Amino acid sequence: MASLQQTMFSLQSKLPPSSFHIGGSLPMRKTTLPLRIRGGNAAGARMSATAAGSYAMALADVAKRNDTLELTSADVEKLEKVFSDPLVLNFFANPTVELEKKRLVIDEIVKSSSLQSHTSNFLNILVDANRINIVTDIVKEFEMVYNKITDTQLAEVRSVVKLEPPQLAQIAKQVQKLTGAKNVRVKTVLDPSLVAGFTIRYGDSGSKLIDMSVKKQLEDIAAQLELGEIQLAA
């Protein structure tokens, strides 16, 4: 990421100042990704969420036809990490940055992350369509599409310290038993606020929660103490 940030600053210094009127002044990069975006003329109410879902489905369709769904999922995970940096996201969302500058940074991302050619084309399409600013939403939508196609249940595990692979395997096995999913994909997040222990969130949009954290236990004890005080006052 440090090298990517350096590249961005280098590009900004080498290229001429940007202009608001860049749409017709630069040639469109030729892309070969056969996207089929639905609902392009929808009303204003169906905006970024609908667009993100359409782009995610289009990318998944291409990956399935190329038999590269797993590799494409790995590419999307890399994009999630890259665009989690506010500096990167703000760079692409800035309308005053020239299109060619954005394309050059896309080339750097593709090179440094070893992305597939159709993923590279996909990113350039987003830049050309002025949709790169919703790439984080596309990542989330693609994850849901991928999980549905592969019958995969996503389990987000939060813990204070990094859990060992055998522990994560046991968690995955338990989630699989609870959901009946063919596959379980575990995403780990370090969360110092839990004090100790861990939480597991799974289900549609993370609707189900298993809380084995000390924080939860302390909250339960505090609630019981408050309830006891109320009873004594009565």
Side-chain angles (χ1 to χ4, degrees), residues 84-101:
S84 65
D85 186 340
L87 176 65
V88 177
L89 193 59
N90 291 339
F91 172 83
F92 284 104
N94 187 347
T96 69
V97 177
E98 288 184 356
L99 190 61
E100 192 60 28
K101 284 186 179 182

Side-chain angles (χ1 to χ4, degrees), residues 139-170:
V139 166
K140 295 175 184 177
E141 293 289 339
F142 182 88
E143 189 173 71
M144 289 190 288
V145 173
Y146 170 86
N147 291 343
K148 185 174 181 180
I149 293 173
T150 60
D151 189 16
T152 298
Q153 179 65 228
L154 177 65
E156 182 186 84
V157 179
R158 290 180 173 267
S159 59
V160 178
V161 298
K162 184 178 179 180
L163 298 180
E164 296 298 323
Q167 295 171 307
L168 296 175
Q170 286 295 323

Side-chain angles (χ1 to χ4, degrees), residues 27-35 55 103 106-107 117-129:
M28 297 289 282
R29 175 172 297 193
K30 183 179 180 181
T31 53
T32 58
L33 188 66
L35 294 176
Y55 278 108
R103 288 172 176 164
I106 288 294
D107 289 343
S117 60
H118 68 262
T119 307
S120 172
N121 289 339
F122 180 74
L123 288 174
N124 280 298
I125 286 173
L126 293 180
V127 169
D128 292 343

Side-chain angles (χ1 to χ4, degrees), residues 1-17 87 91 97 100-102 104-105 108:
M1 183 59 67
S3 63
L4 175 60
Q5 293 174 355
Q6 292 173 359
T7 300
M8 290 172 61
F9 287 125
S10 176
L11 288 171
Q12 290 175 338
S13 64
K14 292 179 180 178
L15 293 176
L87 176 65
F91 172 83
V97 177
E100 192 60 28
K101 284 186 179 182
K102 295 180 180 180
L104 289 172
V105 175
E108 174 61 22

